[in-house]
Amino acid sequence: MVNQGHKGVWVEPLYPGKHPLNTKVMKIELVPTTNIVLNFTERISGKHGYDTNLQALKLLSFDGFTFSLEIFQIIHIGASDAPKVISRLGSMQNVIDQVLRPIVGNYFRNSAQEYTILDFLIARSERQVEASEYVKSALRAYDVQAVDSLIGLITPPEELMHTLTERKIAEEQRKTYEVQQMAQTQRQQLVRETALAEIQQEMVQSEQSVQIADLKAQAQIKQATGEAEGTKLRAIAEAEGIRATGNAKAETYQAGVEALGSQGYTAMQLMQIIGDRNVRLIPDVLVSGNGSNNGLVDGLLSLILWNQTAKNGEITPTPLHPQPIVTQTQSNTENGIPPIIVNFPVDKQH
């Protein structure tokens, strides 16, 4: 590297603009000092044309599958570093072909052999971070700044993709079955809870019915017990009353017997009963024969006289005087004819 005007790579580059140069004795090498993207794929190519020969990487995984990998590498070369890059590699295209492509391709080939293709697919972001750090470190030795390394499309073998697709479909179906099973379980749980709630309601109603019946039975028992106790108490009271009345009468009878004697008190009680019940002891008219023939005539005369002495409005005349009951009869008279007793009762009730 030399100063301007000398033979060699000038230390200070020529910046954008018009410069008077003799192209017969000088060679101009253009170096982009802005970020450029190098596409390791046939599908996309940059306008700068440096990635025309770059293709997708063919990698071999740890489990023996071959797959394609697209890489998008972003680099930057500073203006002050451009003379260094050219003095070392000669041209920008040599930087791409002799430095960048081997470094990136070598890293991803080594990395792919450490992982299975499924692990590489699943841990894609991790592989991308590792690649970016590695490429930055490797290009720094060539005065090239690696801005970022991006992983593009990964194309695994068709048979593997078919297997992965079927596995994914099976997994999704399993998830669907699990969701359906969970839904069925929840539905069964709901039905069970609903049935339990209905049974619980019936149980509550049954318990309430049992409690009501128990209370009614207890009420009836208490009522019957109360009635029985009342009947018992009334019977005891009546018995006590009868006993007291009997004791009082017995004491009264005992006092009467002691005062009048047993025969006198008995006669008095009999007369009292006869008087209370209006028992007639003697007939109103008594006709008896005593050996003469005037008994019938005397009886008729007495009856006529009694009727005449009846008070006004009185159907049954009041007896003139009481007559004793004649119970003695004679079997035969002097002429052999038994006596005739005629009783004319006036009071039909006696």
Side-chain angles (χ1 to χ4, degrees):
M1 296 180 62
V2 298
N3 294 326
Q4 289 186 3
H6 296 273
K7 184 179 180 179
V9 179
W10 292 356
V11 174
E12 185 178 355
L14 296 177
Y15 292 96
K18 293 183 179 182
H19 301 277
L21 297 175
N22 186 359
T23 58
K24 293 182 179 180
V25 296
M26 293 182 181
K27 180 182 179 181
I28 306 300
E29 187 67 33
L30 297 178
V31 178
T33 57
T34 58
N35 292 347
I36 61 174
V37 180
L38 302 175
N39 305 298
F40 287 78
T41 177
E42 299 85 355
R43 298 185 301 107
I44 303 173
S45 179
K47 294 181 180 181
H48 48 72
Y50 296 123
D51 54 2
T52 304
N53 298 327
L54 298 179
Q55 297 178 356
L57 301 177
K58 301 294 184 179
L59 305 179
L60 180 64
S61 65
F62 177 78
D63 50 357
F65 288 97
T66 302
F67 63 97
S68 299
L69 176 64
E70 294 181 349
I71 302 297
F72 302 98
Q73 182 65 48
I74 304 174
I75 63 173
H76 171 72
I77 301 176
S80 59
D81 294 329
K84 299 178 183 179
V85 172
I86 297 301
S87 65
R88 177 176 294 179
L89 299 175
S91 66
M92 189 65 189
Q93 189 65 45
N94 292 338
V95 173
I96 305 302
D97 296 338
Q98 299 177 11
V99 175
L100 184 62
R101 183 169 60 183
I103 291 175
V104 174
N106 183 68
Y107 169 78
F108 280 102
R109 289 186 181 91
N110 294 336
S111 177
Q113 292 181 358
E114 296 178 358
Y115 302 95
T116 63
I117 187 171
L118 294 180
D119 294 337
F120 202 92
L121 291 172
I122 295 172
R124 170 176 174 168
S125 60
E126 297 178 1
R127 305 289 82 78
Q128 180 173 292
V129 173
E130 295 174 356
S132 178
E133 295 296 330
Y134 176 81
V135 174
K136 284 181 181 180
S137 177
L139 292 182
R140 193 177 296 117
Y142 298 92
D143 298 318
V144 178
Q145 299 178 14
V147 179
D148 200 358
S149 299
L150 305 175
I151 296 177
L153 180 63
I154 301 176
T155 307
E158 295 182 358
E159 60 272 14
L160 181 61
M161 288 300 299
H162 180 69
T163 303
L164 294 177
T165 302
E166 290 182 350
R167 181 182 301 179
K168 187 64 176 179
I169 293 174
E171 183 178 357
E172 294 298 329
Q173 289 179 350
R174 179 181 60 82
K175 292 181 180 179
T176 303
Y177 295 153
E178 290 178 355
V179 173
Q180 293 177 353
Q181 183 179 5
M182 185 179 300
Q184 292 294 333
T185 303
Q186 292 179 354
R187 186 181 65 83
Q188 293 176 1
Q189 186 68 21
L190 177 61
V191 174
R192 186 181 298 108
E193 294 294 335
T194 303
L196 290 177
E198 294 177 355
I199 294 174
Q200 187 68 24
Q201 184 178 1
E202 294 179 358
M203 291 176 62
V204 171
Q205 294 178 355
S206 300
E207 290 178 356
Q208 292 179 352
S209 300
V210 171
Q211 292 179 357
I212 293 173
D214 189 12
L215 293 176
K216 289 182 178 180
Q218 292 179 2
Q220 292 178 357
I221 291 173
K222 290 182 179 180
Q223 182 179 1
T225 303
E227 293 177 355
E229 189 67 23
T231 303
K232 180 179 179 182
L233 293 176
R234 286 194 297 270
I236 294 174
E238 292 177 357
E240 291 294 334
I242 294 172
R243 187 179 295 108
T245 303
N247 292 333
K249 290 182 177 180
E251 292 177 358
T252 304
Y253 296 157
Q254 186 66 31
V257 170
E258 293 178 355
L260 301 176
S262 59
Q263 295 181 355
Y265 186 76
T266 301
M268 185 183 70
Q269 290 296 322
L270 290 175
M271 295 303 295
Q272 184 177 358
I273 294 172
I274 292 172
D276 293 338
R277 298 184 179 181
N278 297 321
V279 179
R280 302 183 65 180
L281 300 178
I282 60 176
D284 294 334
V285 177
L286 178 62
V287 178
S288 63
N290 52 3
S292 64
N293 295 325
N294 295 327
L296 180 59
V297 176
D298 293 338
L300 293 174
L301 292 175
S302 298
L303 182 59
I304 293 171
L305 181 60
W306 183 20
N307 291 330
Q308 291 179 355
T309 58
K311 297 179 181 179
N312 295 328
E314 185 179 6
I315 299 175
T316 303
T318 302
L320 296 177
H321 55 82
Q323 297 181 4
I325 299 173
V326 179
T327 60
Q328 182 178 1
T329 58
Q330 296 180 359
S331 60
N332 293 314
T333 59
E334 293 180 355
N335 55 5
I337 299 174
I340 299 173
I341 300 174
V342 180
N343 188 1
F344 298 93
V346 178
D347 190 357
K348 297 181 179 180
Q349 296 179 355
H350 300 285

